[in-house]
Amino acid sequence: MADAPASIRTMALYNRALVYCATSCGVQAVEDLQKVLEMPGASEQVRTEARRKLVRMQRSSNRADSSNPRDEAYPEGGVPEKNRPDSST
């Protein structure tokens, strides 16, 4: 689509990024979204949506990468140490 107007090319890349997101191809989605942001002639609306999608993807990735803080605070099955039964009795 090299001869298509920039607005059509950016929309196509944005839509392909959404498909990549839906099919768990995050790396390709990020690449396409970054291309949308860099393309001259992209509409501001498409750029805004691409930025928003990148932020949502980053937040989702951060949540997936971090462990549950409750698991770290309460390693014994979610029970605080002071409330655990004493095993010595």
Side-chain angles (χ1 to χ4, degrees), residues 6-57:
S7 61
I8 300 295
R9 290 194 319 267
T10 55
M11 257 325 264
L13 275 174
Y14 177 74
N15 287 330
R16 186 171 72 177
L18 295 180
V19 171
Y20 282 146
C21 285
T23 58
S24 301
C25 297
V27 172
Q28 292 93 336
V30 168
E31 289 173 0
D32 279 356
L33 291 169
Q34 289 173 338
K35 286 178 189 175
V36 167
L37 295 175
E38 296 167 1
M39 286 185 73
S43 74
E44 194 54 41
Q45 181 180 3
V46 175
R47 286 178 201 246
T48 299
E49 292 305 316
R51 274 190 224 94
R52 287 180 181 163
K53 187 62 177 174
L54 281 169
V55 167
R56 287 191 305 267
M57 290 176 70

